Amino acid sequence: MAEGLRERKKRQTRQHISDTATGLFLERGFDAVTIAEIAEAADVSVNTVYNYFPAKEDLFFDRSKGLIDRLSRFVRARAVGESAAAAVLRELREEVESVSPKVGLIEGYERFMKVVHGSAALQARLWHLQRRQYDDLEATLRQETGAADDDPLPGLMAGQMNWVHQSLMTAIAHEMIAGREPEVVSREALVLLDEMADLLSEKVLNYAVRADG
């Protein structure tokens, strides 16, 4: 269905507010910027900002939905004969190899992470998003395997896959903040991914293999 004029205007307004806020956060830090200043810079009312973004943290993590279901999407899209963990490793490896912004391999990512590190509120929100990512993955694994509600395996497996993802993202962020080139960090991250894969047990690597048909 084609996007209507009203929907397009709402999307454009939301993006304009988000872009304006991001510029202010990068320039001055998250805690130093108020919603009123964002509204003034974006030439909208404070109420308009809150209509699109209920909390200031939502302005910074404005694409959080894509983070929350990220690993679940990898698992649901796995090929026949491929396990859940193998799919996560493959998708992450492809993103790292292509020097993708999705894993922070982009010029300017260090500015984004420095803002996060400078704000306790953003660190708390990031932890919350990571927890929701884990919960979402656990639910997906439970659904994909038909596991009972009291079966601990989906949660244990989600923890292992989430560990791989968070360890990778943390390592990349650390190197990007240090001023390293994305292409160089990419090569080192591939080695790290291989090392993490070696640490995963056969039980993890063979969990939730997609059956034919």
Side-chain angles (χ1 to χ4, degrees):
M1 183 182 294
E3 183 181 41
L5 177 61
R6 177 176 172 158
E7 288 74 22
R8 183 167 70 252
K9 285 186 174 180
K10 288 177 68 174
R11 176 177 55 80
Q12 290 172 341
T13 298
R14 186 185 194 282
Q15 190 61 53
H16 173 62
I17 294 170
S18 173
D19 291 344
T20 301
T22 298
L24 291 172
F25 293 149
L26 291 175
E27 179 184 350
R28 294 167 48 198
F30 181 79
D31 296 335
V33 178
T34 67
I35 292 292
E37 289 171 328
I38 293 168
E40 182 179 3
D43 196 25
V44 297
S45 70
V46 168
N47 284 341
T48 297
V49 176
Y50 279 120
N51 284 340
Y52 287 97
F53 303 95
K56 193 167 76 162
E57 291 85 352
D58 296 322
L59 279 158
F60 192 82
F61 294 113
D62 63 332
R63 295 176 178 85
S64 60
K65 177 61 171 65
L67 172 66
I68 292 167
D69 68 356
R70 173 172 163 77
L71 300 185
S72 287
R73 283 186 279 112
F74 293 167
V75 169
R76 287 193 294 266
R78 70 195 186 283
V80 171
E82 187 175 41
S83 72
V88 169
L89 288 166
R90 175 180 53 77
E91 293 276 6
L92 291 177
R93 188 171 285 109
E94 288 174 0
E95 290 181 350
V96 172
E97 284 179 338
S98 64
V99 195
S100 172
K102 293 178 181 179
V103 285
L105 293 170
I106 183 174
E107 297 290 347
Y109 184 67
E110 72 282 356
R111 296 179 63 202
F112 176 88
M113 290 308 302
K114 284 178 179 177
V115 175
V116 174
H117 290 173
S119 169
L122 288 182
Q123 291 178 51
R125 174 57 68 92
L126 182 58
W127 181 89
H128 175 69
L129 291 173
Q130 291 168 346
R131 177 67 199 193
R132 289 183 64 191
Q133 183 185 66
Y134 163 81
D135 290 341
D136 188 80
L137 179 58
E138 179 186 10
T140 295
L141 291 174
R142 198 171 294 281
Q143 182 180 42
E144 291 284 312
T145 61
D149 290 343
D150 60 352
D151 186 343
L153 271 183
L156 295 172
M157 297 299 177
Q160 293 291 297
M161 294 173 222
N162 204 49
W163 164 74
V164 170
H165 181 253
Q166 298 307 331
S167 296
L168 175 70
M169 297 301 294
T170 299
I172 288 175
H174 181 270
E175 296 305 318
M176 293 301 293
I177 289 174
R180 309 283 303 287
E181 293 294 325
E183 291 78 10
V184 176
V185 177
S186 168
R187 292 194 293 271
E188 294 176 355
L190 287 173
V191 174
L192 178 64
L193 265 176
D194 288 341
E195 291 176 344
M196 286 191 287
D198 288 342
L199 291 173
L200 297 176
S201 71
E202 287 300 311
K203 190 168 186 178
V204 174
L205 292 172
N206 292 309
Y207 181 76
V209 174
R210 169 152 285 164
D212 190 358

